[in-house]
Each structure stands twice: as structure tokens, then as C-alpha cells.
Amino acid sequence: DIVMTQSPDSLAVSLGERATINCKSSQSVLYSSNNKNYLAWYQQKPGQPPKLLIYWASTRESGVPDRFSGSGSGTDFTLTISSLQAEDVAVYYCHQYHTIPLTFGGGTKVEIK
Amino acid sequence: QVQLQESGPGLVKPSETLSLTCTVSGGSISSYYWSWIRQPPGKGLEWIGYIYYSGSTNYNPSLKSRVTISVDTSKNQFSLKLSSVTAADTAVYYCAGKLELHYWGQGTLVTVSS
């Protein structure tokens, strides 16, 4: 199985400041045939299903604010919230859809400092 | 706008079979991958498996011996069966659509208890 390791487990950021979440996969999730990273990021608020933010490692889902961005390739990926807003308090998960079984990171809880 | 809705019993007895259905509205099930994912209370996400609209399936090896996912294109639905359940199978079960999991149902809590 591809193990997805997120860091940190939690972080507290002041409103308007940058939040950075890292995700490392135990194997590459880059398909050389199409040069795509099979990596997505989700936001989950309490009592709600996860919401897709980013797919193909850096493509923002329609309707997602542009303060959310994804970067990285191969085995190392980052989700950045450029200016944290109160509504961004949530748990964030990375997910690889490159290899069966599909796997998720353990989650990163983002709070307001 | 594609919407998904899970349905099925919220309580299942140990050793019995958990059965859930996901109804897709606002779009056709006859495209994309359709997944089941679960989340034990207070924990992270676990992919159970997916089915392509054509009927081909892939399952998590950790659950493969107990899982069956099927699709009914005439009803725009896909279903999950998980046999021989134990308390460890207590979780919120989500259905989701597309390989990148663009679309999610609201989730349904299934408790395994006698």
C-alpha cells in the first residue's frame, strides 16, 4: 500500500496568515505516461463529508477560493492556504488515487491562533 | 449538479451483512468511477472500493473477502454489501463519484451492535 504521511498533525495560524500542510507518499504517485500526479486534497468540517479542494496535485476545484493552492510532484506535496479565514477551520486530508488500494493521509487539523 | 444520497439501515447486528445504496441524481451513473469510503467516529478516511459504470470493480485488499459493490444503471444507483460485520465496522459510510472523488454523499452512520 502507498502510505500517505501528513505533517503536522495540527497547526494553529492567525487570521490572514499562511497555513502550510505537507503530504509525503511512500511511493511516487506520478504517472509518467501522462505526467499527472494522482494526488488530491480535501477539507472536512465537523459533521460534513469531505470537500474536494485540489486534484491532479495542483488543479483547484471549481468554486474553491484561490487562497487554496496545491503543489509538488512525485512523493512530496503541499497544500497552502495563503491567508487563513475563519471558515477554513477544518481537517485537511491528502489522498492518492494512483494505486489500489487508494489511501488517505491521517489528516491535519487547522485552527485559529 | 450531481448529488449523491446514501440509504440503508443505521444498525446492523454482529456477523450480519451491512447493505447500503447510493442514489445518484443530477447526472448519469453511466460514466465515472463510484466509490465507497468509510470513517470510524473521530478517525480518518478508509477507501473501501469502487465500481466503474461498466461493472468492473476494485476493492481494498483489507476488506476484499467481505465486500461486494454493484451498480444498477437503470436506477442510477450503486450499492455496498459488507459481510460478517463486527464493531470495528462501525463508521460513517460515504459514497463518492469520479476517480478524484469530486462528488460526495452526506454520509450515513452505521453502528454494529447487538
Side-chain angles (χ1 to χ4, degrees):
Chain A
D1 297 10
I2 295 181
V3 176
M4 307 298 288
T5 303
Q6 286 185 233
S7 61
D9 292 336
S10 65
L11 75 161
V13 176
S14 300
L15 289 172
E17 296 300 305
R18 179 185 300 261
T20 301
I21 300 169
N22 299 301
C23 177
K24 187 175 184 66
S25 58
S26 60
Q27 302 170 39
S28 176
V29 298
L30 173 65
Y31 257 129
S32 54
S33 59
N34 60 10
N35 201 36
K36 286 190 171 186
N37 288 283
Y38 284 55
L39 188 285
W41 289 96
Y42 305 90
Q43 175 194 66
Q44 187 177 32
K45 298 180 179 180
Q48 296 184 21
K51 173 188 173 183
L52 177 66
L53 299 176
I54 303 286
Y55 57 101
W56 303 128
S58 60
T59 301
R60 194 180 305 112
E61 171 71 327
S62 176
V64 172
D66 60 8
R67 63 180 180 272
F68 291 92
S69 63
S71 62
S73 185
T75 61
D76 291 278
F77 300 91
T78 300
L79 175 70
T80 301
I81 309 173
S82 61
S83 176
L84 191 75
Q85 304 299 303
E87 60 266 32
D88 300 334
V89 169
V91 177
Y92 293 83
Y93 294 94
C94 62
H95 166 61
Q96 67 81 19
Y97 47 98
H98 178 280
T99 301
I100 300 296
L102 310 188
T103 49
F104 293 87
T108 295
K109 188 174 185 179
V110 174
E111 300 173 308
I112 304 296
K113 185 187 292 183
Chain B
Q1 174 76 352
V2 175
Q3 294 185 315
L4 284 70
Q5 180 65 58
E6 305 89 350
S7 59
L11 180 64
V12 181
K13 290 182 168 55
S15 80
E16 294 189 346
T17 296
L18 177 161
S19 296
L20 296 174
T21 296
C22 182
T23 300
V24 179
S25 60
S28 174
I29 202 169
S30 295
S31 54
Y32 307 139
Y33 291 89
W34 302 95
S35 286
W36 287 98
I37 294 135
R38 69 181 183 180
Q39 185 172 37
K43 296 189 177 181
L45 300 162
E46 180 182 32
W47 177 76
I48 298 169
Y50 65 50
I51 188 164
Y52 196 51
Y53 74 96
S54 60
S56 63
T57 56
N58 258 303
Y59 301 135
N60 193 323
S62 67
L63 298 168
K64 188 173 184 176
S65 63
R66 300 194 290 132
V67 171
T68 303
I69 298 176
S70 58
V71 64
D72 186 337
T73 54
S74 67
K75 294 182 179 179
N76 237 32
Q77 294 176 335
F78 63 107
S79 299
L80 168 70
K81 290 189 186 300
L82 181 66
S83 64
S84 305
V85 298
T86 69
D89 295 309
T90 293
V92 175
Y93 285 75
Y94 296 102
C95 57
K98 296 186 74 171
L99 185 61
E100 310 87 7
L101 309 179
H102 276 72
Y103 313 118
W104 290 74
Q106 284 300 305
T108 186
L109 174 63
V110 179
T111 302
V112 179
S113 175
S114 55

